[in-house]
Amino acid sequence: MITHFPRRPGMILAATPQGWLRRWDADGRVWPTPWQEAEKILPALDVLILSHDDLLPFAAGDRNEADRLLAHWSMFVPLLVATDGRHGATLFQHGQTRRFPAYSAREVDPTGAGDVFAAAFLTHLYRHHDPAQAVDFANCVAAFSIEQTGISGIPTLSQVEQRRRIS
């Protein structure tokens, strides 16, 4: 499917692979499944964004093993960002790994925080072309998003800018 997207200058082709990391059984239950096509798909992307927790089932719950899988996948895609809840996020770029702390937040509803992070990251990256700034920006937006239920926690740009100046 990814090969059907025409490439143009200024375009960012990104994926969040949760669907590729899950399968449904005959009863409709969802189970983790290894992403067999990762090394074929990743070179076609500019950015991969996923949760560190998505990889724990394939790493026997071992965070270090999940980190090794992320580092391996990062060799196939220009930018890989792994979110890690209250631990922040990690940016993998050109063989370099950089960790970004989470912004403090009073968690009310974490549902959708990863999607909010991905949207904020990609928007900031597209506008400013700086992956490190985009991770920090997205961390801030995601912190706001978990402090209220549903979409009511999604902040305005001025709220994000103010919190980033304070931190």
Side-chain angles (χ1 to χ4, degrees), residues 106-150:
R106 186 181 52 68
E107 184 176 311
V108 173
D109 181 10
T111 306
D115 295 323
V116 169
F117 178 97
F121 174 83
L122 291 169
T123 300
H124 198 282
L125 180 65
Y126 181 78
R127 288 184 176 163
H128 302 284
H129 311 287
D130 186 325
Q133 284 185 13
V135 172
D136 182 67
F137 179 84
N139 267 345
C140 187
V141 174
F144 272 105
S145 78
I146 67 169
E147 294 181 322
Q148 297 182 45
T149 58

Side-chain angles (χ1 to χ4, degrees), residues 16-119:
T16 56
Q18 289 82 357
W20 292 322
L21 295 168
R22 293 173 176 81
R23 66 175 171 80
W24 290 259
D25 69 13
D27 296 324
R29 288 181 299 225
V30 179
W31 299 93
T33 190
W35 187 15
Q36 301 296 335
E37 303 293 314
E39 292 180 17
K40 292 179 186 173
I41 293 171
L42 292 172
L45 297 173
D46 298 308
V47 181
L48 181 74
I49 305 170
L50 72 161
S51 168
H52 193 273
D53 289 345
D54 285 336
L55 300 181
L56 290 177
F58 317 113
D62 182 339
R63 296 181 68 76
N64 292 325
E65 186 59 33
D67 286 341
R68 281 190 281 281
L69 182 54
L70 288 167
H72 175 72
W73 282 354
S74 75
M75 303 310 288
F76 296 91
V77 63
L79 296 174
L80 187 151
V81 183
T83 62
D84 199 7
R86 69 181 175 277
H87 303 291
T90 304
L91 171 66
F92 297 83
Q93 180 181 20
H94 306 299
Q96 301 294 314
T97 302
R98 184 167 172 199
R99 298 191 187 282
F100 294 80
Y103 282 76
S104 63
R106 186 181 52 68
E107 184 176 311
V108 173
D109 181 10
T111 306
D115 295 323
V116 169
F117 178 97

